[in-house]
Amino acid sequence: MDRKWWTLIVVSIAAFMLLIDLTIITVVLPDIQSDLHAGFSSVQWMIDAYALTLAAFLLSAGSLADRYGRKRLFLIGLIVFTGGSVLCAAARNADLLTASRAVQGVGGAILFATALSLLAANFHGRDRGVAFGVWGAVTGIAAALGPVAGGLISLSWLGWRGVFWVNLPIGIAAIVICVLTTPESKAQHTARLDWGGFLTLTAALVALVYGIIRAGEVSWSDQLALGCLIGAVVLLAVFAVIEARVRQPMFDLKLLRIPTFLGGSVAAFAMNGSLYALMLYLVLYLQNALGYSALMAGLQLFVVSAVSMVFAIVAGTLSSRGVPARWLIGSGLLLVAAGLFAMLGQGPDSGWTGLLAGFVLTGMGSGLVNPLLAETAVGVVHYQRSGMASGSNTTFRQIGIAVGTAVYGTIFATTLGDNLRTNLAGSPALAARAGQIAGEVRGGSIAQTVTQFPVQLREQVGVAVHGGFATSMDTLFAVSGGLALVGAIVSVILVRGKDFVSAAPEKPAVAAVA
């Protein structure tokens, strides 16, 4: 078999491992929280540590690959990601798991940045279309199978650690195949590394997310939280100055002057910042409040993934027949918003079927949006800048997840206590303990929280807790739906057909990354 097909195999294996890991962990987070006695903010950081490092390293990783070799960087990414997975599996406390997730994010950034360029360097003509079609199919299947796979693995003797151990044999196989078969390739002209931009962007994102999470834990008047938020704004301003003045920026700010690129970036942030950032809280609601197992929660969320895969094919067909990207992205985000709004109205007696219509609508919407987002980035620039453009689009998506997760956590923490005080207002003694109860609920111990009360009070407390949780989820549905709606409006206004570059050499289709 020609070596280029082995390259497709190894890239597909890596893509499967990487993308299934984005969704496989979500359904086992309640188990992790319970086993490691992790606080609510720790669970948020398990998601954000991965998203932040992925966003921060993505653009720089592409430049490193061009300079030092795509195969070499791809191997480094495989080793780092696989090693990070082992560290996650072996973690004995929440802090170690969060740090290990950050290591995974570094490896993931390198893999994302080099996978498509490896295929582009080894495939040409008709074979290139076949290669990217296979790669896109693998990524779609991996993203869809993640929740179910996580639920199934959690039932094994390995428990939640199994979702990380599974990466070890897959990673080793990919490393061996890559070493033996994949040829090296480099760019003829490479850009200098933009260390100033990398450091200021990373510090700004970490400060922003930490400030939001701490504000939810303590208060918005907390000096450390305010200092972090102010520091994030300053660092982002410094980042913008550096990128405007440096000769070879990792992110060219002039791209934001292209309406379609700006609209696509807003849509990317809105897509991930609404539905995908909300997944953590949906899982907590399904498992902690409604009492479903990790497997059942995974099967329920599979509805979103399965519908999304079907409508991704619909989006590709409509796009090939000339339907403008603005209408596909705009209508997709509008469906996501409609699905999130359809989940409103949860109460103490609600079950998961009350979410089903919303799952279907959000799946339809995300399926329409995801295949078109990358094209709003790579399709509006010269092909030689497509790497930066594609990386920027993925960066906006990961920032959406990181910021959305932090914001929703803060909203949830703030509203839950208020909701419990309202629900327990008829019993002043219980209402006085609303803050304590809310803290225990955020820690994932609803059943334990209820059973600590006298028998005659348990039903009252149970109804108050489940009602408070459901009302807080309503707030999250409303906020996330509003974000998706804004993304729909902005994308319809800004994404324009005339911005797309018509004369360019053959470009690979870039699969969407959640």
Side-chain angles (χ1 to χ4, degrees):
M1 185 167 62
D2 194 316
R3 293 180 70 186
K4 67 182 181 183
W5 296 110
W6 282 108
T7 300
L8 174 60
I9 290 173
V10 73
V11 169
S12 297
I13 291 173
F16 184 86
M17 176 177 67
L18 185 61
L19 289 173
I20 202 171
D21 199 75
L22 287 173
T23 52
I24 197 173
I25 185 178
T26 308
V27 296
V28 298
L29 281 172
D31 292 340
I32 294 174
Q33 184 180 27
S34 175
D35 187 41
L36 299 183
H37 306 290
F40 184 65
S41 62
S42 295
V43 176
Q44 292 174 267
W45 275 112
M46 290 170 195
I47 298 293
D48 279 348
Y50 184 90
L52 286 173
T53 50
L54 185 60
F57 280 85
L58 191 63
L59 295 174
S60 298
S63 298
L64 288 170
D66 288 340
R67 172 171 294 198
Y68 297 108
R70 300 180 180 102
K71 173 184 176 179
R72 178 177 297 175
L73 263 291
F74 188 77
L75 273 172
I76 292 173
L78 282 172
I79 293 169
V80 172
F81 188 85
T82 305
S85 299
V86 172
L87 292 174
C88 288
R92 296 300 168 187
N93 58 59
D95 291 339
L96 287 176
L97 180 55
T98 299
S100 302
R101 287 283 289 166
V103 173
Q104 274 191 312
V106 174
I110 299 173
L111 292 175
F112 271 132
T114 54
L116 291 175
S117 58
L118 269 178
L119 293 184
N122 285 277
F123 288 88
H124 306 280
R126 186 184 300 273
D127 286 347
R128 178 177 288 188
V130 173
F132 281 96
V134 171
W135 191 85
V138 169
T139 59
I141 292 170
L145 289 180
V148 179
L152 287 171
I153 293 173
S154 71
L155 297 177
S156 71
W157 64 274
L158 291 170
W160 66 264
R161 298 181 189 276
V163 304
F164 298 111
W165 282 123
V166 73
N167 290 333
L168 182 58
I170 298 175
I172 291 175
I175 290 168
V176 172
I177 296 173
C178 186
V179 169
L180 295 178
T181 65
T182 304
E184 183 60 279
S185 64
K186 298 180 181 179
Q188 293 182 347
H189 305 286
T190 59
R192 298 181 64 181
L193 296 179
D194 179 12
W195 288 110
F198 166 73
L199 293 173
T200 51
L201 177 62
T202 303
L205 293 178
V206 171
L208 176 63
V209 171
Y210 180 82
I212 295 172
I213 291 177
R214 182 170 177 85
E217 271 192 316
V218 185
S219 75
W220 284 99
S221 60
D222 178 71
Q223 292 187 352
L224 181 55
L226 288 174
C228 287
L229 294 174
I230 294 171
V233 173
V234 173
L235 286 167
L236 285 173
V238 173
F239 170 74
V241 171
I242 292 174
E243 297 307 281
R245 295 186 176 184
V246 72
R247 192 170 183 180
Q248 294 175 317
M250 72 176 193
F251 176 57
D252 188 351
L253 296 178
K254 294 178 182 177
L255 291 174
L256 296 176
R257 298 178 185 175
I258 305 173
T260 296
F261 183 90
L262 177 59
S265 299
V266 172
F269 180 91
M271 181 67 251
N272 280 40
S274 58
L275 177 61
Y276 296 124
L278 192 65
M279 282 295 180
L280 165 62
Y281 304 96
L282 277 171
V283 167
L284 293 176
Y285 180 59
L286 289 170
Q287 294 190 49
N288 290 348
L290 301 186
Y292 292 106
S293 66
L295 177 58
M296 284 303 300
L299 289 170
Q300 289 154 2
L301 292 176
F302 180 70
V303 173
V304 180
S305 302
V307 174
S308 181
M309 282 187 63
V310 173
F311 274 78
I313 297 172
V314 173
T317 302
L318 293 175
S319 178
S320 66
R321 293 181 179 177
V323 177
R326 67 192 298 179
W327 297 119
L328 290 172
I329 295 173
S331 60
L333 280 168
L334 187 61
L335 282 169
V336 171
L340 292 168
F341 291 145
M343 297 185 206
L344 290 168
Q346 301 303 303
D349 301 321
S350 298
W352 90 275
T353 53
L355 303 172
L356 184 56
F359 284 178
V360 172
L361 288 171
T362 55
M364 292 167 60
S366 61
L368 292 177
V369 172
N370 287 333
L372 277 299
L373 277 182
E375 187 61 22
T376 63
V378 300
V380 299
V381 298
H382 190 274
Y383 76 97
Q384 291 182 342
R385 305 173 74 197
S386 61
M388 176 192 291
S390 175
S392 300
N393 187 268
T394 305
T395 298
F396 276 106
R397 292 179 70 110
Q398 295 305 317
I399 292 174
I401 287 182
V403 174
T405 299
V407 169
Y408 298 149
T410 297
I411 293 173
F412 181 79
T414 302
T415 59
L416 182 60
D418 293 338
N419 293 335
L420 285 174
R421 274 185 283 273
T422 300
N423 293 346
L424 295 171
S427 176
L430 290 177
R433 298 179 60 182
Q436 174 195 342
I437 297 171
E440 293 173 354
V441 170
R442 293 197 302 270
S445 54
I446 291 181
Q448 183 179 347
T449 300
V450 174
T451 55
Q452 73 180 353
F453 288 90
V455 176
Q456 65 271 22
L457 296 177
R458 288 177 186 175
E459 182 178 356
Q460 181 183 357
V461 174
V463 171
V465 167
H466 285 86
F469 204 128
T471 304
S472 292
M473 288 301 300
D474 268 0
T475 305
L476 298 190
F477 293 142
V479 173
S480 58
L483 176 59
L485 183 59
V486 170
I489 295 170
V490 171
S491 59
V492 169
I493 293 173
L494 293 181
V495 176
R496 311 179 304 181
K498 65 181 180 181
D499 289 335
F500 288 91
V501 178
S502 57
E506 188 176 346
K507 300 192 300 289
V510 183
V513 177

